Amino acid sequence: MSVQVTRPWRVYADELSDARFSMVWNGVAMAGKFELFTDAADKVRWRLKAGNGEVIAQSQAYASKDAASKGISSVQSNAAGAAVVDLTEAAK
């Protein structure tokens, strides 16, 4: 699974069944949500939106809604404890 993160957010997963996350950005807590959608190639993707509606992460294309939902579950269970690896210095 690949995830594109578009902003430096801290994401804290909770166990809400509607796939909401608690997010903190610059010390301000914001409710977030996952959205499932079908792309132009008729594949299913998810995106994570902040409380202000900004897309902060988007998934790869999945063949089914079930597979995309499992991708969301994986992010929910793994994001809170994920390490941040800075590869920007290694590229220089």
Side-chain angles (χ1 to χ4, degrees):
M1 172 180 55
S2 66
V3 176
Q4 301 168 353
V5 178
T6 58
R7 292 281 189 246
W9 294 81
R10 288 184 186 223
V11 181
Y12 301 93
D14 61 29
E15 298 302 318
L16 297 176
S17 61
D18 62 354
R20 290 188 185 189
F21 267 31
S22 296
M23 291 178 271
V24 177
W25 188 42
N26 291 337
V28 178
M30 306 177 91
K33 65 181 177 181
F34 283 98
E35 295 178 340
L36 289 165
F37 66 97
T38 304
D39 66 15
D42 208 29
K43 300 289 184 181
V44 181
R45 294 177 182 264
W46 58 259
R47 60 184 156 232
L48 176 58
K49 283 192 170 182
N52 65 359
E54 182 177 359
V55 176
I56 58 172
Q58 182 169 298
S59 73
Q60 66 188 35
Y62 293 91
S64 69
K65 185 176 176 180
D66 183 59
S69 294
K70 287 178 182 175
I72 291 171
S73 294
S74 177
V75 171
Q76 286 178 310
S77 65
N78 292 300
V84 176
V85 178
D86 184 355
L87 302 177
T88 60
E89 294 300 318
K92 292 181 181 179

